[in-house]
Amino acid sequence: MSGTGVPQLQHGRLRLLSGPNLNLLGEREPAVYGTTTLAQIVEEAAAEAARYGVDLDHVQSNHEGVLIDAVHAARSEVDAVVINPGAFTHYAWGLHDALAAFDGPILEVHLSNPQRREAWRHTSVVAPVATGTISGLGAAGYVLAVRAVAGLLGLAEET
Ligand code: DQA
């Protein structure tokens, strides 16, 4: 912020990142992850971003390096990152380091609440470099994350 109270948006763009297996949302373990598809989640998140006058792009990958590259590019392309790292959450230190090099807000999102699940899901290597985490609220968590990011960037609703 410049101290003027005016949001200092450099790019007018947010990046949503989705980790491994999230391309199967809707079909994959619906009792755990719900029936909303990833395409629907992206559409809702983009619609929420549009309410604050910013664009949202999306990268899903089952490969850690692709997500790391997308975070590196985010450094010069977007103002904030929303990420559901999938299982990378629990062990992907390369992704952790990439996110640590991103200066804007980072919201970590999980459809399920990993703390209520197996012990190996209780550790997040992303949480220490995230501004905040939203877990256990299903697809609604993404809309809330975009809203949180808008607040952190000082954006007002336009619609
Ligand atoms: C998840 C939780 C992770 O433990 C899991 O590996 C996923 C999805 C979630 O959104 O609840 O793939 O990130």
Side-chain angles (χ1 to χ4, degrees):
M1 301 295 287
S2 66
T4 60
V6 178
Q8 295 301 294
L9 267 192
Q10 286 184 7
H11 310 287
R13 179 176 291 272
L14 316 178
R15 179 152 299 159
L16 173 60
L17 297 173
S18 301
N21 303 307
L22 295 174
N23 52 309
L24 298 181
L25 284 179
E27 302 165 27
R28 172 195 185 206
E29 299 183 78
V32 177
Y33 298 116
T35 52
T36 309
T37 65
L38 187 57
Q40 288 169 326
I41 284 172
V42 174
E43 195 180 322
E44 285 173 17
E48 188 65 15
R51 292 182 60 226
Y52 294 90
V54 290
D55 294 329
L56 178 140
D57 63 28
H58 175 242
V59 176
Q60 187 278 328
S61 182
N62 298 319
H63 306 278
E64 184 183 358
V66 173
L67 294 174
I68 290 173
D69 288 344
V71 174
H72 290 179
R75 286 160 45 83
S76 60
E77 292 175 357
V78 305
D79 296 293
V81 168
V82 175
I83 180 166
N84 182 345
F88 289 154
T89 304
H90 312 299
Y91 62 90
W93 288 105
L95 185 59
H96 162 107
D97 283 352
L99 290 165
F102 179 78
D103 284 335
I106 298 172
L107 259 288
E108 177 186 3
V109 177
H110 299 286
L111 293 146
S112 67
N113 179 355
Q115 297 301 320
R116 295 186 61 159
R117 302 179 63 197
E118 303 94 317
W120 62 268
R121 295 187 202 270
H122 296 180
T123 299
S124 169
V125 301
V126 169
V129 290
T131 312
T133 302
I134 296 174
S135 293
L137 302 180
Y142 288 85
V143 172
L144 295 173
V146 169
R147 213 172 286 171
V149 158
L152 289 164
L153 293 173
L155 303 175
E157 286 175 64
E158 293 186 352
T159 57

